[in-house]
């Protein structure tokens, strides 16, 4: 027997139905906020992710599905979606066109991580990317959008919020942080490496000893410039105004290198150790960094796999139509009628003739709302016997009338 690969899984129908409901809900909410769909390839050049997600990140350092294709190109299964969308934004000259463009997308991402509950090597994200607005109200809007989605899905989360500063204030903070790290020999090897590649990443080190040391590290928020401070307090005021609860977390630096200013994560207490439901923030420099015209940008991605067991699906009662014949000679007719009804109704067609009792039992198992069958009598008179399985009403009607009605 051949099994699926480690960290990869099938979504069987019970779960796929929830998955489709979640995606539909996400798309509908995103459209209300003015986002349009975009879909980019699953495979991209490796250097796209090296330059955007960053060489110092775990994603690029350890987790990429990277290989040389038959044409000798160094390619990678996308570990996240932002880089591909930015590549497309530039390649299709939307940066040069200027203005505001807002995209949403969903699909598979690949990270060669150690699998555990809620952590897969192939997983699915729903994400939005908004280009062209520096106004912090857009940061607030994407957070409110995400909050609306989670509310619609009945999922409780709390928000962790941070500001990572901008190219004006960050270099000063980074220098002070490096000086601090140089005085502390006891930091872990990973942090020693981060000190040289992307020092701010030390702040979310999982090593407890490091965290003890960082209690005395220079404060990120104390080093924000006036503009970053002003934007951050405006963002908080908007979230307060809309009643969103958040926790300020100076150590929230995110695992991807492209962020500046706003960074946020939505966390759930109900899904175990892999508690981050979604994450995002502002990435005003990434378009320029990938050789595009400088463009403001902000977005988030939500991990769909972690949500699936939490989602409360709306009750689905009986629905659709079941059709069957009571004698062999009626099967072709019932097949034809059932197929025609599929233009407007969900129809289950039984290909074998059965007793009325056996058909009704099967229709009940399928949770059908409507039941139609033909016996020899109905066949001779061009009629169908119809029953509503909810209110139990029964009637015999002409085939032409049966074809006109919708049974949904
Ligand atoms: P990220 O924080 O790397 O951000 O991923 C976003 C979400 O994807 C996480 O919060 C988590 O729910 C889910 N996720 C990540 N790794 C896994 C995994 N191995 N298994 C299951 N779920 C996972 C990004 O990907 C950025 N592109 C977000 C963004 C968009 N920032 C701006 N725009």
């Amino acid at each position: 027997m051949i099994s699926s690969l480690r960290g990869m899984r099938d979504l069987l129908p019970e779960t796929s139905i929830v998955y489709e409901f979640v995606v539909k809900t996400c798309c509908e909410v995103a459209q209300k906020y003015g986002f349009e769909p975009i879909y980019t390839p699953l495979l991209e050049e490796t250097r796209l992710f090296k330059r955007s997600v960053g060489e110092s990140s775990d994603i690029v350092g350890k987790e990429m599905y990277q290989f040389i294709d038959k044409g000798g190109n160094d390619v990678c299964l996308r570990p996240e979606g932002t880089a591909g969308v930015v590549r497309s934004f530039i390649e299709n000259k939307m940066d040069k066109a200027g203005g505001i463009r807002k995209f949403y997308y969903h699909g598979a991402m690949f990270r060669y991580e150690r699998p555990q509950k809620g952590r897969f090597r192939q997983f699915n994200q729903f994400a939005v990317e908004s280009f062209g607005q520096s106004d912090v109200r857009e940061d607030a809007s994407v957070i409110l959008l995400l909050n609306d989605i989670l509310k619609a899905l009945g999922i409780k989360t709390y928000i962790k919020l941070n500001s990572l500063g901008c190219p004006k204030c960050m270099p000063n903070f980074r220098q002070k942080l490096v000086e601090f790290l140089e005085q502390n020999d006891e930091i872990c090897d990973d942090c020693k490496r981060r000190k040289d590649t992307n020092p701010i990443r030390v702040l979310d080190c999982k090593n407890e000893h490091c965290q003890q040391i960082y209690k005395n590290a220079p404060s990120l928020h104390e080093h924000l410039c006036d503009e970053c401070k002003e934007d951050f307090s405006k963002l908080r005021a908007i979230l307060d105004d809309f009643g969103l609860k958040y926790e300020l977390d100076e150590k929230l630096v995110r695992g991807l290198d492209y962020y500046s200013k706003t960074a946020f994560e939505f966390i759930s207490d109900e899904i175990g150790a892999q508690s981050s439901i979604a994450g995002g923030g502002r990435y005003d420099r990434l378009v320029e960094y990938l050789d595009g015209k400088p463009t403001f940008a902000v977005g988030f991605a939500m991990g769909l796999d972690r949500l699936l067991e939490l989602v409360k699906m709306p009750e689905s009662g009986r629905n659709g139509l079941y059709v069957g014949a009571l004698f062999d000679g009626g099967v072709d007719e019932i097949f034809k009628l059932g197929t025609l009804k599929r233009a407007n109704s969900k129809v289950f067609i039984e290909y074998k003739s059965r007793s009325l009792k056996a058909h009704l039992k099967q229709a009940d198992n399928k949770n059908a709302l409507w039941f139609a069958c033909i016996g020899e009598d109905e066949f001779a008179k061009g009629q169908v016997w119809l029953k509503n399985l909810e209110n139990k009403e029964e009637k015999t009607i002409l085939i032409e009338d049966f074809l006109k009605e919708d049974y949904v």
Side-chain angles (χ1 to χ4, degrees), residues 153-358:
L153 297 173
I155 292 172
K156 288 198 190 69
T157 52
Y158 62 93
I159 305 170
K160 283 189 174 177
L161 192 64
N162 196 13
S163 173
L164 299 173
C166 69
K168 263 187 271 162
C169 48
M170 247 299 127
N172 180 27
F173 171 71
R174 193 178 301 127
Q175 194 189 331
K176 295 226 174 105
L177 184 61
V178 171
E179 282 164 15
F180 171 84
L181 295 172
E182 272 164 356
Q183 286 156 20
N184 280 284
D185 278 351
E186 289 173 32
I187 58 174
C188 71
D189 289 345
D190 275 345
C191 281
K192 283 183 184 147
R193 196 172 37 79
R194 290 175 186 132
K195 174 171 69 83
D196 300 323
T197 51
N198 188 4
I200 190 173
R201 288 291 322 274
V202 304
L203 296 179
D204 75 346
C205 178
K206 302 285 174 285
N207 183 311
E208 279 203 14
H209 187 61
C210 288
Q211 281 308 332
Q212 282 301 328
I213 295 172
Y214 302 147
K215 282 194 177 141
N216 299 318
S219 152
L220 178 60
H221 287 176
E222 280 169 19
H223 287 79
L224 294 180
C225 62
D226 288 346
E227 189 191 311
C228 283
K229 270 190 195 145
E230 217 172 280
D231 276 352
F232 197 44
S233 60
K234 174 84 186 165
L235 174 63
R236 287 158 54 190
I238 298 173
L239 299 185
D240 288 340
D241 204 21
F242 281 88
L244 266 64
K245 299 254 176 314
Y246 55 83
E247 184 182 290
L248 295 183
D249 183 355
E250 271 200 84
K251 306 246 151 58
L252 179 76
V253 294
R254 310 270 300 121
L256 309 97
D257 287 356
Y258 47 62
Y259 294 107
S260 55
K261 292 193 168 178
T262 308
F264 59 88
E265 266 178 35
F266 278 55
I267 313 284
S268 163
D269 285 335
E270 299 170 66
I271 51 172
Q274 296 307 311
S275 58
S276 170
I277 292 273
R282 188 163 270 284
Y283 51 96
D284 289 341
R285 281 172 303 158
L286 185 56
V287 177
E288 183 182 8
Y289 206 59
L290 291 174
D291 303 326
K293 193 173 155 203
T295 305
F296 299 109
V298 57
F300 71 76
M302 178 167 80
L304 300 179
D305 302 78
R306 292 180 187 173
L307 294 183
L308 295 178
E309 39 192 278
L310 297 181
V311 171
K312 294 177 188 58
M313 289 283 283
E315 292 271 314
S316 90
R318 289 186 174 279
N319 66 84
L321 168 69
Y322 176 103
V323 296
L326 303 181
F327 69 112
D328 287 350
V331 173
D332 281 344
E333 179 70 359
I334 214 72
F335 176 71
K336 190 168 158 199
L337 292 179
T339 304
L340 290 171
K341 293 310 296 172
R342 282 183 172 151
N344 295 312
S345 313
K346 172 178 141 189
V347 185
F348 178 86
I349 308 175
E350 173 53 64
Y351 298 151
K352 286 200 176 68
S353 69
R354 299 219 163 141
S355 69
L356 180 62
K357 200 171 153 206

Side-chain angles (χ1 to χ4, degrees), residues 59 80-82 111 113 118-120 123 125 128-129 254 256 258-259 276-281 283 299-303 306:
I59 295 179
E80 60 99 54
T82 309
R111 295 183 192 175
E113 293 188 81
R119 187 158 76 193
F120 305 95
F123 59 99
Q125 287 184 341
V128 307
E129 314 291 355
R254 310 270 300 121
L256 309 97
Y258 47 62
Y259 294 107
S276 170
I277 292 273
Y283 51 96
F300 71 76
M302 178 167 80
R306 292 180 187 173

